[in-house]
Amino acid sequence: MKILEFATYPVADSGSSALHAASPAAHAISEQLTLGFVVCALIFSIIFAAIAWCVVRFRRRGDGPHPEPAQVLGNLRLELAWTLLPLLLLIGLFTMTARAMRVADAPPIGVPEIIVTGHQWWWEARYVSTSKANGFATANEIHIPVGRRVLLRIEAADVIHDFWVPQLARKVDAIPGHPNTVWLEADELGSYSGTCAEYCGTQHAWMRLQVVAQSPADYEQWLVTQRGSAAVAKGASAERGSRLFKEKTCSNCHVVDSGSDTGKPGANLSSDFATAIAPNLAHVASRRWLAGGAIANTTARLADWLEDPARAKPGARMPNLGLTPPEVTDLVSYLESLR
């Protein structure tokens, strides 16, 4: 029954495909994939045609003698042809692959702007800044400026994950203790779906993320908003929810601080900064999805999530706190005030 209930939730994946490239790196991968398909289709067609011709030409006809194919021995031209042609084909494919790899996997230059850490089962995104006042953390939603490459550092907090946004970049393993890097760029404004592409446990299928490509002006405004403090809870229900957030031990795992993963305001989010236990909830109301993309960020879905996390995402690490309906309502009011 839980699986049926879970399946009715709207999903974050908009059906993105690696064949619908939206960045220079993804275009290189898509073109190489298309080339491989064409070459394989041609080889298959030639071999299939040759087999069909042999079946027809040398089939037994009634009771007559079975025609025997002429034996080809010592034909140097034929031997060279079926040796050199495949060799030249492989050299060509290797050359094209190397060219695609150079574009899709360019070496890192400078310091990563964003550190993305995979958790079971959500993505943490830390925007790095040399200024302690300017770094901040968010979850499951990465914003980038359109038309500019952004260097990401990919890490993992627990097990091996795999960061993949098919329309924008190649797959990148997220391995505990062994960070990797990848360039992320978008040609057009829009939202691009990503996922974990390495099985990592019960909710691997619901470890999604969104990459939002914005105009440079909108991106800068988003950065300013994220660096600022979350709105103060207003109204009796939201104020009660703020108190419940602490009383119900939510604050043991979550923080509501744009510049902190561990409850220390203004912490510098450097590459060796400790990762979070659970998503930073500063500005959580501005996010489109919750629970690693499992549920839409609406009042009703948020209430369901707080009431019973396992109903929306079986196996989720967030515990059921046994909240009463009034407590759920107050917590929802509080969380929806965090913009």
Side-chain angles (χ1 to χ4, degrees), residues 91-210:
I91 292 175
L93 287 174
F94 175 80
T95 302
M96 297 299 294
T97 301
R99 182 181 300 175
M101 290 173 62
R102 185 178 60 188
V103 176
D105 193 20
I109 301 175
V111 177
E113 293 184 43
I114 308 172
I115 300 174
V116 178
T117 304
H119 299 259
Q120 289 176 309
W121 291 274
W122 59 283
W123 295 97
E124 174 190 6
R126 289 173 286 156
Y127 284 70
V128 179
S129 175
T130 55
S131 170
K132 290 185 178 182
N134 289 335
F136 64 89
T138 184
N140 303 315
E141 192 172 294
I142 299 172
H143 289 239
I144 61 173
V146 70
R148 180 172 73 82
R149 290 198 311 173
V150 177
L151 185 61
L152 273 62
R153 173 168 166 158
I154 309 299
E155 303 177 346
D158 33 50
V159 300
I160 296 176
H161 301 281
D162 196 299
F163 177 87
W164 190 30
V165 185
Q167 291 181 279
L168 300 183
R170 66 182 181 88
K171 294 180 181 178
V172 187
D173 283 338
I175 305 173
H178 297 276
N180 290 312
T181 57
V182 65
W183 291 101
L184 208 60
E185 181 179 0
D187 294 333
E188 300 177 356
L189 300 173
S191 180
Y192 302 92
S193 297
T195 188
C196 175
E198 177 78 24
Y199 181 74
C200 56
T202 305
Q203 280 298 325
H204 158 70
W206 287 104
M207 188 171 168
R208 309 291 180 88
L209 72 149
Q210 293 281 308

Side-chain angles (χ1 to χ4, degrees), residues 67-99:
E68 295 291 337
Q71 298 299 311
V72 180
L73 299 173
N75 190 320
L76 181 59
R77 291 182 179 179
L78 190 58
E79 293 285 353
L80 287 174
W82 65 43
T83 300
L84 292 179
L85 286 178
L87 178 61
L88 293 175
L89 181 62
L90 289 175
I91 292 175
L93 287 174
F94 175 80
T95 302
M96 297 299 294
T97 301
R99 182 181 300 175

Side-chain angles (χ1 to χ4, degrees), residues 5-306:
E5 292 175 351
F6 171 57
T8 63
Y9 279 84
V11 300
D13 191 350
S14 60
S16 62
S17 169
L19 298 177
H20 299 146
S23 75
H27 277 296
I29 296 172
S30 178
E31 290 169 2
Q32 181 64 24
L33 183 61
T34 302
L35 175 64
F37 280 152
V38 171
V39 170
C40 289
L42 288 174
I43 293 174
F44 173 82
S45 300
I46 293 171
I47 294 175
F48 184 83
I51 293 175
W53 180 81
C54 290
V55 168
V56 174
R57 174 66 181 81
F58 301 106
R59 73 185 186 279
R60 187 180 298 277
R61 295 178 175 83
D63 296 330
H66 180 65
E68 295 291 337
Q71 298 299 311
V72 180
L73 299 173
N75 190 320
L76 181 59
R77 291 182 179 179
L78 190 58
E79 293 285 353
L80 287 174
W82 65 43
T83 300
L84 292 179
L85 286 178
L87 178 61
L88 293 175
L89 181 62
L90 289 175
I91 292 175
L93 287 174
F94 175 80
T95 302
M96 297 299 294
T97 301
R99 182 181 300 175
M101 290 173 62
R102 185 178 60 188
V103 176
D105 193 20
I109 301 175
V111 177
E113 293 184 43
I114 308 172
I115 300 174
V116 178
T117 304
H119 299 259
Q120 289 176 309
W121 291 274
W122 59 283
W123 295 97
E124 174 190 6
R126 289 173 286 156
Y127 284 70
V128 179
S129 175
T130 55
S131 170
K132 290 185 178 182
N134 289 335
F136 64 89
T138 184
N140 303 315
E141 192 172 294
I142 299 172
H143 289 239
I144 61 173
V146 70
R148 180 172 73 82
R149 290 198 311 173
V150 177
L151 185 61
L152 273 62
R153 173 168 166 158
I154 309 299
E155 303 177 346
D158 33 50
V159 300
I160 296 176
H161 301 281
D162 196 299
F163 177 87
W164 190 30
V165 185
Q167 291 181 279
L168 300 183
R170 66 182 181 88
K171 294 180 181 178
V172 187
D173 283 338
I175 305 173
H178 297 276
N180 290 312
T181 57
V182 65
W183 291 101
L184 208 60
E185 181 179 0
D187 294 333
E188 300 177 356
L189 300 173
S191 180
Y192 302 92
S193 297
T195 188
C196 175
E198 177 78 24
Y199 181 74
C200 56
T202 305
Q203 280 298 325
H204 158 70
W206 287 104
M207 188 171 168
R208 309 291 180 88
L209 72 149
Q210 293 281 308
V211 175
V212 181
Q214 301 174 287
S215 68
D218 288 343
Y219 175 67
E220 290 299 325
Q221 182 57 51
W222 181 82
L223 290 178
V224 171
T225 301
Q226 294 296 313
R227 287 168 179 156
S229 299
V232 178
K234 295 181 180 179
S237 179
E239 291 176 357
R240 289 194 300 268
S242 178
R243 292 192 295 270
L244 278 171
F245 188 84
K246 299 177 181 179
E247 295 170 1
K248 291 293 183 177
T249 70
C250 303
S251 56
N252 284 357
C253 299
H254 297 279
V255 295
V256 183
D257 188 334
S258 59
S260 173
D261 282 337
T262 58
K264 299 177 181 179
N268 181 20
L269 303 182
S270 62
S271 59
D272 57 355
F273 191 78
T275 58
I277 299 174
N280 190 320
L281 298 182
H283 310 288
V284 65
S286 66
R287 298 171 195 166
R288 304 180 184 186
W289 302 91
L290 300 171
I295 60 176
N297 191 1
T298 65
T299 300
R301 299 308 186 192
L302 177 57
D304 288 344
W305 172 249
L306 294 174

